[in-house]
Amino acid sequence: MESHRELRYTIVLLSFLLLVSLYSIQGRLEDPAARRSPVKTIRTEYGDKYDCVGLYEQPALRHRLLKNHEIQMRPSFDPQRDNANPTGNGTSDKSIDVALMDSCPSGTVPIRRRSTAEVSRAKALFRQQFPSFNKSTRNIPGFAFAGITTRYEATTVYHGAGGMISINNPAAISGQVSASAISLEGGSPDQYSIIRVGWMVNVDLYHDNQTRLYAAWGQVKNRQMTGCYNTYCPGFVQTDTSIALDMPLTPISVVRGPQYYVKLSVTQDKSTGNWWLNYGDNAKRVGYWPSSLFTNLGNGAPGLRWGGTVSSSTSFLPQMGNGDNGQYQSAHFRHVELQYEAGTSLNGTIAVTLDVMQNRCYKSGDNYYKGEFWGYSFYFGGDGGDVTQCSS
Ligand SMILES: *[C@@H]1O[C@H](CO)[C@@H](O)[C@H](O)[C@H]1NC(C)=O
Ligand SMILES: *[C@@H]1O[C@H](CO)[C@@H](O)[C@H](O)[C@H]1NC(C)=O
Ligand SMILES: *[C@@H]1O[C@H](CO)[C@@H](O)[C@H](O)[C@H]1NC(C)=O
Ligand SMILES: *[C@@H]1O[C@H](CO)[C@@H](O)[C@H](O)[C@H]1NC(C)=O
């Protein structure tokens, strides 16, 4: 009897010690950036964990340019919010909802928990997957873009871009990335600046092939691209308590079946110059990139592009969008919008010249205006193929 009980105590004690040591090992492996005892942790149905981290403890602010940065909780002027029409009865013309099941307490923001290994992997992959290039230097082996771009005019800049992106799940393997995104960019290759938001399948980063929400920023300095995806490095300041970057997007659109969309936009605040990421039908503010991060996005962006980008370190480029399914069945954007002046709204009237970019492996076509449901739309995509053939 006695010895049984002792044995039980010993087992309980040993399992407790084991748990404690496992916990501390795990603690050490996790990204120290996001590990200052979170107020709360939210789990997703996909098995990811988001820690609610104090606003001023989020990784964004560890950037040397953001030492004394005062967080802007909302834009100084919010035309979209004022015009937002939140009525509607949930038809599929709406953006999908990617909010976490639960919000972080006020004063904290959700940062996905990841290991230090994943953080360093993310930084290395970003440099490899985000070379310095713009439209005029586009034939880089291992990269391809298909979609629409604003035609460069020396005196024109844009203060925002948006659209509804169809959600697809292109086939990609290790070494390949396939994304659908909106980019705001500018500058010569040696000081090129970029913000890109959308979704991507990035097998080497996430070790899965899900379609995940992402927002990246980049700035070329000393001939090297700096910046990163999401909150893997300092830069993006999150203010929203429930929209989670890195979140898998579902449902996936079905070729010749139902289509699902995520609505995203990036708009520049008139007084601070910060670039806000807005999500969903009511343009919920997720957070922003301080304008001090960029050399060429201080007062507007010289170029905008919407469409698919793929990259590969293998000898094949992956599928883009939903593959090659022709004008009416391919991946597409609806309600392409841009903002002409600081402090105005996104505008669905395209009064500038847009160029359609496509190549041997990836098609794109402009559908112009197609009524209320579509707004200004275009399609794009392809099955991919040999790197040397697809990059030219
Ligand atoms: C949405 O609501 C309006 C007004 O109640 C109705 O006329 C319309 O049929 C509804 N649409 C759908 C798809 O349910
Ligand atoms: C994604 O991965 C799963 C599991 O490995 C696989 O069954 C599926 O076919 C993959 N999907 C795509 C689009 O590659
Ligand atoms: C792209 O790079 C070229 C070459 O340096 C430069 O002249 C052009 O202005 C850049 N385009 C944009 C949109 O910044
Ligand atoms: C949108 O842009 C067009 C063309 O520049 C302009 O005529 C129109 O007034 C703008 N609409 C809004 C709501 O700003």
Side-chain angles (χ1 to χ4, degrees):
M1 230 20 205
E2 274 301 294
S3 66
H4 264 161
R5 187 175 297 172
E6 256 172 47
L7 186 61
R8 236 169 41 217
Y9 282 141
T10 315
I11 289 173
V12 168
L13 184 67
L14 281 179
S15 3
F16 176 73
L17 286 175
L18 185 66
L19 271 178
V20 166
S21 54
L22 276 180
Y23 186 78
S24 59
I25 288 171
Q26 196 195 10
R28 247 179 291 141
L29 288 177
E30 271 158 12
D31 172 19
R35 286 300 293 167
R36 232 171 99 182
S37 46
V39 179
K40 178 174 170 180
T41 297
I42 301 168
R43 278 157 220 270
T44 69
E45 59 191 293
Y46 308 100
D48 293 329
K49 288 183 197 140
Y50 284 82
D51 288 327
C52 298
V53 177
L55 260 178
Y56 280 91
E57 279 151 33
Q58 61 180 306
L61 301 180
R62 258 167 237 122
H63 196 282
R64 134 190 95 69
L65 292 174
L66 304 178
K67 231 177 212 156
N68 299 310
H69 183 75
E70 194 186 322
I71 294 181
Q72 187 185 9
M73 287 309 285
R74 56 189 59 81
S76 42
F77 174 70
D78 207 344
Q80 270 176 297
R81 195 31 85 67
D82 298 342
N83 295 341
N85 171 17
T87 56
N89 34 15
T91 60
S92 66
D93 62 335
K94 301 276 176 257
S95 177
I96 57 137
D97 190 358
V98 292
L100 293 167
M101 307 289 230
D102 200 358
S103 295
C104 282
S106 133
T108 68
V109 291
I111 304 290
R112 188 163 147 274
R113 195 185 293 180
R114 54 272 163 116
S115 64
T116 28
E118 186 180 332
V119 172
S120 29
R121 192 164 80 225
K123 290 179 182 167
L125 285 171
F126 178 81
R127 284 193 294 272
Q128 180 190 320
Q129 296 165 358
F130 258 75
S132 153
F133 72 101
N134 71 15
K135 215 163 86 162
S136 65
T137 53
R138 67 183 192 228
N139 295 337
I140 302 180
F143 294 87
F145 168 80
I148 57 176
T149 71
T150 53
R151 187 172 294 175
Y152 180 68
E153 308 266 4
T155 54
T156 306
V157 292
Y158 304 93
H159 295 273
M164 296 190 77
I165 311 175
S166 69
I167 300 170
N168 309 100
N169 187 234
I173 57 165
S174 174
Q176 303 177 333
V177 183
S178 185
S180 283
I182 303 168
S183 308
L184 302 91
E185 57 197 339
S188 56
D190 61 340
Q191 42 170 264
Y192 173 69
S193 308
I194 182 168
I195 291 174
R196 181 175 289 165
V197 303
W199 57 250
M200 67 176 167
V201 175
N202 192 332
V203 178
D204 291 338
L205 175 53
Y206 295 110
H207 288 170
D208 68 26
N209 60 9
Q210 303 208 67
T211 298
R212 290 176 182 261
L213 180 65
Y214 85 108
W217 72 275
Q219 175 61 52
V220 174
K221 268 187 210 146
N222 305 321
R223 301 183 174 276
Q224 276 229 316
M225 182 59 104
T226 62
C228 65
Y229 293 121
N230 298 344
T231 53
Y232 282 109
C233 72
F236 181 73
V237 181
Q238 175 131 3
T239 54
D240 185 80
T241 56
S242 68
I243 303 297
L245 294 177
D246 304 297
M247 188 82 160
L249 301 184
T250 55
I252 303 294
S253 304
V254 179
V255 178
R256 278 170 256 280
Q259 301 296 305
Y260 301 96
Y261 302 89
V262 61
K263 184 171 185 177
L264 295 173
S265 65
V266 176
T267 50
Q268 188 170 33
D269 187 79
K270 189 178 177 176
S271 63
T272 59
N274 296 336
W275 291 92
W276 283 86
L277 167 60
N278 315 302
Y279 157 81
D281 298 311
N282 297 324
K284 196 170 191 214
R285 306 293 180 159
V286 181
Y288 63 88
W289 293 270
S291 72
S292 56
L293 295 172
F294 305 103
T295 314
N296 287 293
L297 298 174
N299 174 32
L304 304 177
R305 70 166 92 193
W306 296 258
T309 61
V310 288
S311 73
S312 179
S313 56
T314 72
S315 44
F316 288 91
L317 278 162
Q319 205 175 46
M320 178 191 288
N322 62 13
D324 183 359
N325 283 294
Q327 179 170 10
Y328 298 108
Q329 308 295 344
S330 282
H332 52 275
F333 279 52
R334 295 194 287 125
H335 287 280
V336 170
E337 296 180 312
L338 44 80
Q339 187 172 316
Y340 297 102
E341 308 276 346
T344 61
S345 316
L346 283 168
N347 190 326
T349 303
I350 310 299
V352 295
T353 310
L354 296 180
D355 290 322
V356 174
M357 313 268 295
Q358 55 177 344
N359 63 37
R360 209 179 294 180
C361 300
Y362 304 102
K363 291 181 185 159
S364 180
D366 201 329
N367 291 328
Y368 307 95
Y369 291 98
K370 287 208 308 190
E372 193 138 309
F373 175 81
W374 292 94
Y376 196 101
S377 71
F378 69 95
Y379 70 93
F380 64 96
D383 290 323
D386 187 81
V387 160
T388 45
Q389 288 193 13
C390 296
S391 300
S392 57

